[in-house]
Amino acid sequence: MTTTEQLDRDRVRELFDLRGSYLAEVGGGYEGDPYPVWHRLREQAAVHPGTVHELTGYDGPANFQGLPHLDRPHFSAFTYAACDAAYRDAEVFAASLTPVDPGNGSLAVSNSMIAMGGRRHRRYRALVQPSFVPGKAGWWIRNWIERTVDLLIDGFADARRAELNVDFCAAIPVLTITGSFGVPVEKALDIRAALRNPAAIVEILRPIVAARRESPQDDLISVLVEAEMTDEDGVAHRLTDAEIYSFALLLLTAGSGTTWKQMGITLTALLQRPEVLAAVRAERALLRPAIEEALRWVPTDPMFSRYVTRDVDFHGVRLPEGSVLHLCVGAANRDPARWERPDEFDISRRLRPSFAFGGGAHVCLGMHVARAEMRIGIGALLDRLPNLRLDPDAEPPRFIGLYERGATEIPVVFG
Ligand code: HEM
């Protein structure tokens, strides 16, 4: 049986529907274009009291990192300089105010490396960093990405039409990250479905962790099983099962939904500009700048948050200790102080790093894997589907969602 046959397409559609109940909580009901509002807010002040969704005028459910926290004052930063300053000062702008203990505490992404600070965060991150450096992209491509991409295209290549957002973009990252955890394809969607029920994920992983303790393989779960950490008093120890599950939960959560939506955004940007798509098809080296430009232009997660550890005057606003500062990286990525004509999708602009992958100590660990998935995925579509274009008879894709933005369906024809 092939990977595509094993993937239940209706279930994929349900789990990856931006308008469905699954993503409703993160602002999935937002259908507007936030950028004009964010430009206006940025022109008025670098930092505003309030949350990004309130300031954007969205009053549906909108939970994300740093939200809802009804008991704390909220502020939002809209300039590149303010987001940059907050990312650089992890002492004042911390990833969490509550203690994190993956070995003992609750099983939740908020109790993982992403919420740690200082040396402790560096020690945990150093355990997995070697598997995510640019030089390891080939390992990911050979072991998981290439095969998945080819099998997915096999599934629709003869039909001369396809819906790329769910049937292609959504499936690649989820199969890549679950594959690296040794999870078989037929269980990959159970992981996606269980992201809000960590105990169910542990039940899927438990036998795999036990098997890798017996006999490690060439995969990420074996890296975690074999990792040795030296704690504060210099004693080295292997990660406990609880620590491994905490890492797994973070990686499975961070590594699937994000890349799916960002790949759909990139494809939409290219398909809506046939001349740019033709240039990329003719000169494949242009795929890299196209991917970077899409990350800047519409980052799938346009907001990340930090907690203020002491009273501070910040870009003209007094932030009290205990408040939450939301970094609107979507707005920062279109700050005219850094990019000319920021609203234009222009793959020839001089490359300057954006905040699509965050910044500072918690900058995205998986960014080179994400880039490889997008490059191999879109490259293979161009290699295998001649004359790829948007289906002229179908509803064209639009970007929706607030805290997890992505394209609606991407219907294409080819051949
Ligand atoms: C285009 C796709 C992706 C985007 C836009 C993205 C974005 C981000 C951002 C903005 C952060 C920083 C969060 C913060 O500042 O609090 C982050 C952190 C992280 N990302 Fe990604 N990510 C993507 C793909 C991935 C993939 C594929 C993986 C894993 C395979 C991954 C793993 C992580 C991890 C583990 C962290 C936490 C790092 C730490 O706390 O030190 N991400 N990501």
Side-chain angles (χ1 to χ4, degrees), residues 69-227:
H69 284 306
L70 301 173
D71 51 334
R72 297 181 184 279
H74 292 260
F75 297 86
S76 299
F78 290 91
T79 62
Y80 186 91
C83 292
D84 191 43
Y87 271 134
R88 283 172 193 275
D89 190 347
E91 286 209 355
V92 175
F93 301 102
S96 169
L97 288 178
T98 41
V100 183
D101 184 1
N104 296 298
S106 65
L107 196 62
V109 172
S110 54
N111 189 29
S112 76
M113 166 177 92
I114 201 163
M116 290 179 191
R119 294 219 326 262
R120 186 138 182 267
H121 170 254
R122 282 198 292 281
R123 277 209 317 275
Y124 269 88
R125 182 159 166 142
L127 297 179
V128 281
Q129 184 84 47
S131 302
F132 289 91
V133 294
K136 267 286 184 177
W139 181 70
W140 288 89
I141 292 169
R142 277 189 313 278
N143 281 345
W144 299 290
I145 301 173
E146 226 156 38
R147 197 174 140 265
T148 305
V149 164
D150 283 341
L151 286 169
L152 288 168
I153 298 179
D154 288 348
F156 54 69
D158 290 338
R160 301 165 78 99
R161 62 175 56 247
E163 189 294 295
L164 295 180
N165 200 28
V166 171
D167 289 349
F168 188 67
C169 300
I172 296 167
V174 83
L175 292 177
T176 300
I177 193 69
T178 52
S180 78
F181 273 89
V183 175
V185 169
E186 64 277 10
K187 288 250 166 58
L189 292 184
D190 294 344
I191 293 256
R192 172 82 197 171
L195 282 183
R196 301 228 160 89
N197 177 13
I201 294 192
V202 167
E203 285 321 306
I204 297 173
L205 294 180
R206 195 187 303 282
I208 305 172
V209 171
R212 297 301 192 275
R213 287 214 190 274
E214 285 287 305
S215 129
Q217 293 186 14
D218 185 25
D219 56 18
L220 190 62
I221 191 87
S222 304
V223 169
L224 289 172
V225 163
E226 296 206 286

Side-chain angles (χ1 to χ4, degrees), residues 65 87 95 112-116 121 125 128 132 140 173 177 220 247 250-252 254-263 295 299-301 303-306 327 329 355-359 361-367 369-371 373-374:
Q65 196 192 29
Y87 271 134
S112 76
M113 166 177 92
I114 201 163
M116 290 179 191
H121 170 254
R125 182 159 166 142
V128 281
F132 289 91
W140 288 89
I177 193 69
L220 190 62
F247 258 119
L250 171 62
L251 287 159
L252 291 166
S256 52
T258 43
T259 317
W260 151 47
K261 288 187 257 56
Q262 195 65 46
M263 195 181 316
L295 281 158
T300 176
D301 294 348
M303 188 279 277
F304 282 90
S305 309
R306 292 294 184 264
L327 311 180
V329 295
F355 284 135
F357 288 120
H362 290 275
V363 70
C364 179
L365 176 78
M367 61 184 162
V369 178
R371 286 178 168 127
E373 287 172 336
M374 293 191 275

